[in-house]
Amino acid sequence: MLVLFKIFALPTLAIMIVSYLLGSINFSIIFTKMFSKDDIRTMGSGNAGTTNVLRSVGKRAAILTFIFDIIKCVVSVILTKYVLAYMSAASNAPAYIVNYGIYLSGFCCTIGHMYPIYFKFKGGKGVVTATTMMALADWRVFLAVIGLFIIVFSIWKMVSLGSVIGGIIYPIVTFVITFFVDYYGNGVVSLKYVLVVTAVTAMVSGIVIYKHRGNIQRLINGTEKKLFGNKQKD
């Protein structure tokens, strides 16, 4: 184990840094300035994310923001898989090393989106980036969480409520699937793997929920806005 740590420690650290820097490219700020010349952080809710771009700037800027926020996480994970898969093959390391890297790079990309170094560490709430990480790390977890999000959103029309509930169940679903299916059922992963990926997803969920603390207070007060409560401009 110590040998693997020595081999993978520096490359993994480098990947995490690169993932953070990629995540720090906040496209809501970039596209808002392109379309309106303003800073999205001074508009609407003040959040540098897709929902606020949709409300404050329009559909085109929001769609571009959504797409490119996905792309930056995809690039981060692909880079991670390429580097760690190559190193794993060269050192005969177990395949789960690559999976660890996917979770870590996705986490760092999400942190970069929330606290971007290029924009004075004031970014978005990380929902799109974290969801992309979820889909790339484990499609089964993604389907379960996104399914619940769709149900919640279809009833209450609030992205924030769906995001908070999705954040709460993310580590729970991750544990249930990796423990009961992958570890206990099929024996394809170790218990350590289950605990590590559950811990990483819990950290992602925790910080996403923390970034929604204002929304949570408004939900409690009954003042949270619905996504389609007002007519949007294009």
Side-chain angles (χ1 to χ4, degrees), residues 38 40 42 58 82 92 124 209 216 234:
D38 294 319
I40 189 62
T42 65
Y82 177 81
N92 293 318
I209 293 171
I216 293 172
D234 189 6

Side-chain angles (χ1 to χ4, degrees), residues 108-131:
C108 291
C109 190
T110 302
I111 294 297
H113 178 84
M114 295 175 172
Y115 303 101
I117 192 172
Y118 313 123
F119 300 102
K120 299 180 180 179
F121 301 101
K122 187 179 179 182
K125 296 176 182 175
V127 174
V128 174
T129 311
T131 303

Side-chain angles (χ1 to χ4, degrees), residues 83-117:
V83 173
L84 294 187
Y86 175 81
M87 293 189 64
S88 295
S91 59
N92 293 318
Y96 66 77
I97 293 290
V98 178
N99 292 339
Y100 284 146
I102 291 172
Y103 280 98
L104 290 174
S105 63
F107 173 72
C108 291
C109 190
T110 302
I111 294 297
H113 178 84
M114 295 175 172
Y115 303 101
I117 192 172

Side-chain angles (χ1 to χ4, degrees), residues 174-191:
T174 297
F175 175 80
V176 168
I177 290 178
T178 56
F179 180 81
F180 289 102
V181 178
D182 297 337
Y183 171 70
Y184 185 77
N186 300 319
V188 294
V189 301
S190 65
L191 182 59

Side-chain angles (χ1 to χ4, degrees), residues 160-178:
S160 58
L161 180 60
S163 299
V164 170
I165 292 177
I168 292 171
I169 71 163
Y170 181 26
I172 298 172
V173 174
T174 297
F175 175 80
V176 168
I177 290 178
T178 56

Side-chain angles (χ1 to χ4, degrees), residues 18-217:
V18 170
S19 297
Y20 169 78
L21 295 175
L22 284 170
S24 290
I25 306 173
N26 193 296
F27 289 103
S28 65
I29 298 174
I30 294 170
F31 287 121
T32 297
K33 288 185 177 180
M34 287 176 59
F35 280 86
S36 70
K37 309 299 181 184
D38 294 319
D39 190 330
I40 189 62
R41 294 170 295 181
T42 65
M43 305 168 69
S45 66
N47 178 57
T50 302
T51 302
N52 193 33
V53 173
L54 178 61
R55 287 197 180 109
S56 303
V57 185
K59 295 178 182 178
R60 286 172 292 181
I63 290 171
L64 287 171
T65 297
F66 180 79
I67 291 172
F68 279 87
D69 278 349
I70 290 174
I71 289 174
K72 68 183 180 184
C73 189
V74 171
V75 171
S76 174
V77 169
I78 288 176
L79 177 63
T80 298
K81 291 179 70 173
Y82 177 81
V83 173
L84 294 187
Y86 175 81
M87 293 189 64
S88 295
S91 59
N92 293 318
Y96 66 77
I97 293 290
V98 178
N99 292 339
Y100 284 146
I102 291 172
Y103 280 98
L104 290 174
S105 63
F107 173 72
C108 291
C109 190
T110 302
I111 294 297
H113 178 84
M114 295 175 172
Y115 303 101
I117 192 172
Y118 313 123
F119 300 102
K120 299 180 180 179
F121 301 101
K122 187 179 179 182
K125 296 176 182 175
V127 174
V128 174
T129 311
T131 303
T132 305
M133 164 198 167
M134 186 191 309
L136 296 172
D138 194 323
W139 62 270
R140 302 164 301 177
V141 175
F142 169 76
L143 290 179
V145 176
I146 203 67
L148 180 59
F149 173 88
I150 291 171
I151 292 171
V152 171
F153 179 75
S154 65
I155 296 172
W156 286 282
K157 302 297 188 297
M158 295 180 184
V159 174
S160 58
L161 180 60
S163 299
V164 170
I165 292 177
I168 292 171
I169 71 163
Y170 181 26
I172 298 172
V173 174
T174 297
F175 175 80
V176 168
I177 290 178
T178 56
F179 180 81
F180 289 102
V181 178
D182 297 337
Y183 171 70
Y184 185 77
N186 300 319
V188 294
V189 301
S190 65
L191 182 59
K192 179 182 177 181
Y193 175 86
V194 174
L195 296 177
V196 169
V197 299
T198 300
V200 174
T201 57
M203 288 190 294
V204 172
S205 295
I207 196 166
V208 168
I209 293 171
Y210 172 76
K211 292 287 284 186
H212 282 81
R213 61 193 184 280
N215 303 87
I216 293 172
Q217 187 59 55

